[in-house]
Amino acid sequence: RSMAEIRRAGPDDAAAIAALSREAYAKWVPVIGRAPKPMAADYDVAVRAHLIDLLEMGRTLVALVECIQEPDHLLIENLAVAPGHQGQGHGRRLMAHVEALARSLGLGEVRLYTNKLFAENIAFYRKLGYRVDGESAFKGGFITHMSRKV
């Protein structure tokens, strides 16, 4: 069993969140021809405005999830796992954490969106029981919107 711990991020974590997000999303730049949204986000602002939870092993940040609390659902804005730690169940663990967080906030649904070209992300969310709700145009491509009742 991994000794990974989840904790809520604070303002001092903004730089580490930005660095991990850049590393995790870098592989998608050639796929869509630009930096995905999480690579350019202002985490000094986001860490105060959103719910960001960090998965750490010892003092090492290995994954994070950023959520926005809406009146009737919890929106996942960013799920990122460090490249060297992908495929080890950290993403699944954070998704389960988000669903429990939504329920604790009295919200019955988790929503997320991802680039339509990020096929492995869409497959990952589908395996976890998320359904595709639709698509919308974004920066010359398409965003796939997904959700799951919790």
Side-chain angles (χ1 to χ4, degrees), residues 16-84:
I17 293 165
L20 175 62
S21 297
R22 283 193 300 271
E23 289 168 21
Y25 284 87
K27 67 180 179 181
W28 297 117
V29 174
V31 176
I32 64 172
R34 61 173 178 81
K37 195 174 161 190
M39 291 182 77
D42 184 339
Y43 291 103
D44 288 310
V45 172
V47 79
R48 290 176 169 85
H50 302 162
L51 302 172
I52 304 182
D53 289 320
L54 309 178
L55 183 70
E56 295 175 320
M57 292 171 82
R59 291 225 171 97
T60 305
L61 175 60
V62 297
L64 64 90
V65 65
E66 174 184 358
C67 296
I68 299 172
Q69 186 176 345
E70 300 288 358
D72 62 343
H73 68 276
L74 197 58
L75 175 69
I76 298 175
E77 179 73 7
N78 178 11
L79 174 71
V81 180

Side-chain angles (χ1 to χ4, degrees), residues 6-21:
I6 296 173
R7 71 170 175 88
R8 179 65 40 88
D12 292 347
D13 296 305
I17 293 165
L20 175 62
S21 297

Side-chain angles (χ1 to χ4, degrees), residues 6 51 53 64-68 74-79 91-105 107 109-112 130 150:
I6 296 173
L51 302 172
D53 289 320
L64 64 90
V65 65
E66 174 184 358
C67 296
I68 299 172
L74 197 58
L75 175 69
I76 298 175
E77 179 73 7
N78 178 11
L79 174 71
R92 280 194 304 278
R93 180 166 170 200
L94 282 175
M95 291 298 290
H97 169 76
V98 166
E99 291 170 14
L101 177 60
R103 288 190 296 269
S104 77
L105 294 169
L107 303 170
E109 186 176 44
V110 173
R111 295 183 193 170
L112 61 91
Y130 286 75
V150 296

